[in-house]
Structure formats: C-alpha cells, structure tokens
Amino acid sequence: MAPAASQKGNLPVPITSLVGRQKEVAEIRVCLSKNRLVTLTGPGGVGKTRLALAAATDLRRAFRDGVWWVELAGTRDGSLIADEVAGVLKLGVQPASSAHESVAAYLASRRILLVLDNCEHLSDACARFTGQMLRQAPELRMIATSRRMLGIGGEHLIVVPPLAVPDQDAPPPPEETARYDAIRLLAERAAALRPGIAITAANHKAAVRLCARLDGIPLAIELAAARMLSLSVEQVLDRLDDRFALLVGGSRAAMHRQQTLRAMTDWSHDLCSERDRVLWARLSIFVGGFDLDAAEQVCSDGELPAAEILDCLHSLVVQSVVLAEPGAEGTRFRLLETIRQYGWDRLGERGEDELPQLLRRHRDFYLRLACQAADTWCGPDQEAALARLRVEHGNLRAAFETCMTDPDGPAAALELASALRFHWTSGGFLGEGSRWLDAALALPDQPPRARVTALWVAAWVALLQGDAPAAAARLAECEQLASVLPDRRAAAHAESLRATALMFVGDVSGATARFESAASVLHEVGDPEGELRALFQLGFCHTQIGDSERATTVHKRGLALSEARGERLLRSFLFMMMGFDAWQRGNVGEAVARHVEGLSIQRSFDDPLCVGLMIEGLAWVADSCGDHACSAALLGAARAAWSHGGTTIHAFGPRVAAYSVECERRTRQALGNAALEAIIEENGALTVAQAISLALDQSVAVGAPAPAPAPVPAPAPAAAAEPPTSPLTRREQEIAVLIARGMTNRTIASVLVLSPRTIDGHVGRIFAKLGFVSRAQVAAWVSERKAASGR
C-alpha cells in the first residue's frame, strides 16, 4: 500500500535551531546534484544527523515524491533494513514478495530522497541495500550518516568537521568571538536553559578554552551548556578533566547513547575489533597528533606487531575514531581530545606494565627525532626539521615529562632539552626552552658530557631573553666543566656566547677577538652551525666599528660555508648583516635588497627573532629615507614578531636597541602619537608569516620618495592641480600610494589627520575613476606609474 497522496515525507521536526553549517549544507546540495549517494561521516557527536536533517529539509522541493527519514540506531539485524524502510514508506509486504522487493518496486518509478541515519553498526548490510536500491531506482538519491563509509561504487564522502573554534592560545576580542560557531552554540544553548547567561568580555576567554578542549564537538558543547544551568563557564572548564562524569544529562528526547559523552564513545568502542581497541588505547599516548612511523614504532609490541598497525589505523580512520589529515609532509593522524581521553582511560585498564613501557617507547621515539634534527641541522633539511618539531611540540613536551619522572631520566632530559635548541631559538619557544633546561639541569646524577652541552644551550637561550646574569652563570660552569672533560666543542660554544654577551653590552673589540677564536675552533671540530653563528656576528662587529671591508670578507666566508652545506636559515642572518652594513655605508638600495633576500628565505622558517631583527632593519632604513609611514608599519610588524619570539629588541643590547628607539622617536615626531600608535596596534597582532609579507610589500616603497603633504588649495583652476597623465587629484594620488603600502582606511586617516569618513570617500572615488574593484589593483597601478616615471 502506497502512502497517501498528500504525504511527501516524514522528516523529524528539529527541536533546536541549527548553528552554523551553511557551508556543509551547500556542499551536500551540490554533491547530491552530481552523485546519487552521499555519506556523512565523522566522530560521534559531531552533528552528522543534525546536518543531514538540515540538508534534507532544504532539499524537499527537489523531490516530488518526498524526503524520507529512516532511523537505524535501534536496528541490530542488518537483514531488517528493508523492513525498516518499508515501514517508513508504509508499504504492505505481500506474501509472495519480500520487504526488499516491495521497497525496490516502490522506489523504481519515483523521485525520492532517502536518508539512512546511523549506519555504522550495520555498514555491510547498509552497503548491500543502498547498492541494490540505487541500481533499481534511477531517480533515487540517498544520504547516509555513519561513523564509517559504506564503501560502494558511486559513494561520495563528506567528512563532517567539528564546529569552528578560536585559537585558545590567542583568543580574539570578545566582539569577534561570537562569529565562531562553537561559541555561538554554547551561548545559545546555555541561554535557552537559563535566560541571562551570555558570553561576555569577562568570560569569553574561558568559553574559548572550553570549546577548544571539547574539540568543537556539538554534542559535547551542548552537554557543557546544560551544566551552565548551575555552573559558570569557568567552573565547567575547571571540572573538565573529568569530562565523562561532568558532561551527562543532555536532552531526554535524545537516544540514551547520545545523553552522555561516555555512552556516545562506548558506542564507537563497541563497534571496534579487539586489536583496534588495543591500538585506540595506545594511540592516546600521543599529544596533538602523530604520523604512521610514530604509531608503528611506539604502539607495536608482541601483542600488536608493527606490520599490523597500518591496517588497524586504517580501520580506526574508517570508523571516524582517528582523523586523517593530509599535509605537505604526508598524512598526519589525530584523535579528538574526548576520544583520546577515553582511550587513555582504557589504557589504564590494560595492566600496570603496559603504560610505563609505552611511555618509554614514546619518549625514545621523540628523543631520536630531536637528536636527528640537531645532528643534521646545518644542511638542506632545516625547513622540514623545524616544521616537524613545531608540529610535534605536544609530543615533545610529553616526552620531556616522561624524562623528568623516569628513573633513567636525567640523561634523556638533558639530551632532549639540548637537542631542541633550534626549536627554542628559531621556533618561537624561548620561554619554554628556558624552563625545560632549568628543570633538566636541576636533576641529580647527570652525565657530565650531557650537562656541559645543556649549559651552553641554556646560556644561549638566556641571552636571547635578555637575561645576561643567568647566561654568565651558565657559561662559567660550562667553561669549567669543558676544561675538565675536556670538551673543545663545548668550550668553543661558550667562547662564542661570551662574545655575544660582550657585543650586546657594546664591547665590540673584545667580542671580535672571541668570535674569531670560537669560529676557528668550531671549524676544526667540525661544527658548521656554530661556526656560522660566530661568523655572522663577527661580521656585525666589523660593521659596527666601520670596517666594512672586513665585514664583507667575513660575510662571504659565511655565505660560502652556508651554500656548501645547503643551509639556509643562518644564510638569512648573513643577508641581514650584509643589509645592515650596506645601510651604514649609505647604500639604501643594497640595504633593502639584502633584507629582502633574508626575509624571502624566512618565508620557509618564520623564525620570529630573525624576522624581528630584519623588519627592524628595514624600518631604520625607511626612517633614514624620511618615509615615516613605512617605518611605522614596519615597527608594528617587528613588534608582532618579537611578541611571538618571547623577547624584545632590547635583549640584543643597548647599542642595537638604540637604533630602534631613535627610529620610533623620529617616526613619532613626524606622524604624531595617535597615528603611530594606530599603525603599530594594527600591525602588532600579525602572525610571523603575515609580518614577513607586510615587510616584503613595504620594502618596495623603502627608499622611494615619500608623497609630499597636500598643500592648501590655491585659487587656481582645478586642472592645474592634477598631473595631466592621472585621473586622480593630488590628494587621491597620495592616498593611492598609502593603499599600495597595505594601509587600511583607518590607518590612512590617522597618518593624514583626516576623518575616516573622508578617507572612505576618497577611496571610493579612486576606485570609480580607475575602474577598479580591489586594493590590489590600486597597488599595481601605483607600481606601474612609479616604474614609468623612473622613480
């Protein structure tokens, strides 16, 4: 029996509004227009069902015979899927035919969208059913929701992501927080339970951390919002470590397995094979993700051989327990924090010997990774090594924590903290590196050779932080221990760092002699990285005393060594020093070119300290050319880099800092306090990569004549005030140049001491006169005119 003519489907009516997901709904529409089966996959609680319902509701008009919803969560026997569908369609099964045949006959001539919800526990049976129906019903379209793909021909997979969450380490301002779907969901669901609850300036950072720790999973956020009936955001966050006990009691209308995080995750766990469960538990040892090599080496043993890890990992990816994230360096895997914590709990149940062994394998793997990066640092793999260390920061931290508690930990702790020296100094982790080194050096029973290396690394980090007394104390012990061992390499590094300390306080003569001595020994012992660091600083010393010829000789020596090794990071430092030397000689063009060479290399590294120094250098050049708007923008970008690096330019001593102080003083005097602070504030929140891009864009203008202030209009014909080759007025040309330098309308208003509304009007007229629609087109137009005029 067919459904009544007036019935066009049975879609459930949602109880709550859908937050976000507009992009995903649109993607489902497009996919269904090209494919007949779309499967929504993702971990439990990510919102597959709610998204499928929203998409199906949106698509109702496209299916004249209706959109039909089939809930399979309560079905345990795969052979009954056709019966469930027949029941939904209200089909009577004739004695001589099966439910499967009745459903196929009904669908064959109709344009229907069929949604099969919660297929994961019946995936094989669902695959057979959907394949057969699609072959027999040419106008049938299907949506399936499942924690694993069905795996049939013609299936289009959409992995449903968690909701967007702000960066908890750098949360946006309160007014921008609500633009993130995870925060909106938390606020809306909490307010629905207790009117008056809101995400405010006082609690928005706690809300960001809460949603981030819940991985943006809608179910987890809704359960947290339910707790806000009696707890504040901060209190929920404080209690989140026991999330499986805290986040219970969701909607009573939801299925039991969706009312608590534990029930939801138990459901996924029950669907896994025993060996998949073992790997799930062991994968919880990783923090922030892992690759296949790490999984095979850390998680394998006699019970689960390395050869079986790939198959088990694939199975967990298919079941949405593990997320696979392709990248430039290969696929990386990750467990959402809730799933990882669940696995950690299961790991604790597997016996008291398993966890310590797993922790040691994890520690040893990441110790080898760090040592390999240090040993091969001065070579062509620097970019990849630094990127890998940054990605693995969470795992490296966990490995160090194991070192600090393991009986054989002191040697490993010192070795790990020392091997990560480039991660500390070039990766943006100076503060954490200092803490690790101090903690490792405080452990008892340390091997002398491991300690002597950690001492000079700790001194290096302290110097870059501006802590000269701590550096001096570490160097004194390093020198004494190096003489006893003896260890010429450690002694030479200490000598080089003594020179750095002298250079920072202005004793250039004393620093020069020590750098020369250290570079010679480091060359003899085969430490090219240490030799290069001594050389670029030696060249800087020669520049500071006006000996450009010697500086050039040293820089060329350094470049030859860098190129021979295939090294690039310290080459960027050398270009920076060459640029400084050119500026001191008054050669602005060469100064800019050398800084640009260095910054271009830094696109691959994002070393905040080197980037900060180079952008400062460009700012000094711009200031000396009288281009104060440009120097202001660069000072702001440099400040952003310093904040990411965990230090300031003052760490490099009063002599270097004086250039920055004088540049800022002159720029402030030229632009005024308000304009300078507005520009610095605008650029001070850039990422390191954004700071590099801004500096490279600004470098085009450095050394070019700055636009003259617009004079008070004289009583002369308007045409006389305009260049005959430009449709723009003089003021509009001035504003166009500032647009080309990357300034926003608000910043231009501050620079020219005009109202933002006036600038908005000028910019609109510039676009209209030139026929442009983007600021990039204006920048290109300015560049072409500059080239044509020979400036």
Side-chain angles (χ1 to χ4, degrees), residues 536-787:
F536 83 73
Q537 293 178 93
L538 175 59
F540 184 55
C541 286
H542 288 315
T543 294
Q544 290 184 80
I545 61 177
D547 194 342
S548 182
E549 185 176 347
R550 284 192 178 181
T552 300
T553 299
V554 171
H555 291 150
K556 287 182 177 179
R557 176 182 161 192
L559 284 177
L561 175 57
S562 170
E563 289 168 0
R565 301 284 304 188
E567 187 277 343
R568 297 180 71 236
L569 179 65
L570 290 175
R571 197 180 314 175
S572 68
F573 279 84
L574 284 161
F575 283 135
M576 173 180 63
M577 296 308 179
M578 295 168 76
F580 181 81
D581 183 72
W583 178 55
Q584 292 288 81
R585 290 186 277 107
N587 190 332
V588 170
E590 183 184 348
V592 173
R594 292 302 191 183
H595 279 90
V596 167
E597 284 182 281
L599 280 170
S600 298
I601 290 175
Q602 278 296 327
R603 283 188 182 278
S604 300
F605 292 98
D606 291 348
D607 176 349
L609 304 190
C610 185
V611 169
L613 284 168
M614 281 194 277
I615 296 179
E616 288 271 0
L618 275 175
W620 306 341
V621 176
D623 168 62
S624 66
C625 295
D627 194 342
H628 300 295
C630 185
S631 65
L634 290 165
L635 286 172
R639 188 168 297 182
W642 294 127
S643 68
H644 289 292
T647 189
T648 72
I649 195 166
H650 296 278
F652 299 88
R655 189 163 188 164
V656 173
Y659 291 110
S660 183
V661 171
E662 179 61 16
C663 174
E664 183 173 334
R665 184 192 68 78
R666 287 160 55 95
T667 303
R668 191 180 301 277
Q669 185 177 36
L671 299 181
N673 285 333
L676 177 62
E677 292 304 323
I679 296 172
I680 287 179
E681 179 184 356
E682 180 177 339
N683 293 327
L686 298 174
T687 65
V688 176
Q690 289 169 336
I692 293 172
S693 295
L694 181 142
L696 289 172
D697 290 342
Q698 293 289 331
S699 68
V700 176
V702 176
V712 176
E722 297 182 21
T725 58
S726 173
L728 305 184
T729 66
R730 184 171 297 175
R731 174 65 87 183
E732 288 166 354
Q733 291 180 62
E734 181 181 16
I735 292 172
V737 170
L738 298 180
I739 289 173
R741 292 181 181 174
M743 294 187 189
T744 63
N745 289 6
R746 182 169 67 88
T747 304
I748 294 171
S750 299
V751 170
L752 299 181
V753 197
L754 295 171
S755 73
R757 180 174 296 180
T758 299
I759 298 300
D760 290 344
H762 280 304
V763 172
R765 285 189 289 276
I766 290 169
F767 280 19
K769 288 180 179 181
L770 298 178
F772 293 161
V773 295
S774 73
R775 301 172 87 86
Q777 290 175 299
V778 175
W781 180 82
V782 170
S783 179
E784 290 170 2
R785 282 178 55 81
K786 185 183 296 184

Side-chain angles (χ1 to χ4, degrees), residues 101-325:
E101 291 169 343
S102 296
V103 171
Y106 180 80
L107 296 176
S109 60
R110 288 174 171 81
R111 182 170 177 78
I112 277 178
L113 173 62
L114 194 64
V115 183
L116 303 182
D117 188 35
N118 293 300
C119 300
E120 53 270 357
H121 61 301
L122 303 171
S123 56
D124 291 341
C126 284
R128 289 192 296 272
F129 175 80
T130 55
Q132 292 164 357
M133 292 301 110
L134 290 170
R135 284 192 296 272
Q136 297 177 60
E139 290 195 86
L140 174 66
R141 293 288 192 276
M142 300 182 73
I143 295 175
T145 74
S146 175
R147 299 185 195 184
R148 60 181 300 165
M149 63 186 296
L150 300 185
I152 67 171
E155 179 182 25
H156 185 92
L157 201 65
I158 294 179
V159 179
V160 180
L163 295 176
V165 180
D167 182 354
Q168 61 176 329
D169 295 324
E175 62 274 13
E176 295 182 18
T177 300
R179 295 189 305 176
Y180 291 85
D181 292 336
I183 305 297
R184 285 178 52 213
L185 179 64
L186 180 70
E188 288 187 17
R189 297 298 189 262
L193 292 169
R194 198 176 91 191
I197 294 180
I199 305 302
T200 65
N203 66 13
H204 84 285
K205 290 184 179 179
V208 167
R209 289 196 297 274
L210 176 62
C211 290
R213 290 192 60 194
L214 293 174
D215 298 303
I217 297 177
L219 175 60
I221 292 171
E222 293 199 12
L223 293 172
R227 280 297 181 184
M228 289 169 63
L229 187 62
S230 55
L231 299 174
S232 68
V233 179
E234 294 83 358
Q235 288 173 318
V236 175
L237 179 63
D238 289 343
R239 289 160 174 77
L240 199 59
D241 284 339
D242 192 14
R243 66 184 65 194
F244 290 113
L246 175 70
L247 301 184
V248 298
S251 169
R252 292 181 182 273
M255 289 176 290
H256 172 69
R257 66 181 177 84
Q258 292 181 330
Q259 291 180 16
T260 72
L261 277 184
R262 181 172 295 280
M264 177 194 74
T265 317
D266 281 341
W267 172 263
S268 292
H269 196 255
D270 290 344
L271 295 174
C272 292
S273 68
E274 180 56 33
R275 65 174 190 163
D276 290 352
R277 293 172 190 168
V278 171
L279 183 59
W280 179 348
R282 293 180 180 180
L283 291 176
S284 68
I285 198 76
F286 295 107
V287 180
F290 55 93
D291 60 16
L292 177 60
D293 188 38
E296 288 178 333
Q297 294 195 44
V298 173
C299 297
S300 62
D301 61 5
E303 180 184 3
L304 186 61
E308 296 183 11
I309 295 290
L310 177 58
D311 286 342
C312 291
L313 185 58
H314 175 73
S315 176
L316 291 174
V317 170
V318 167
Q319 296 178 84
S320 299
V321 173
V322 174
L323 303 182
E325 300 171 334

Side-chain angles (χ1 to χ4, degrees), residues 272 291 348 372 377 394 399 457 472 487 648 713 719:
C272 292
D291 60 16
Q372 181 182 15
W377 181 256
V457 172
D487 189 327
T648 72

Side-chain angles (χ1 to χ4, degrees), residues 458-459 462-463 465-477 498 501 505:
L463 279 173
Q465 290 182 298
D467 192 347
R474 294 301 192 193
L475 288 175
E477 184 183 351
R498 286 285 191 191
V505 298

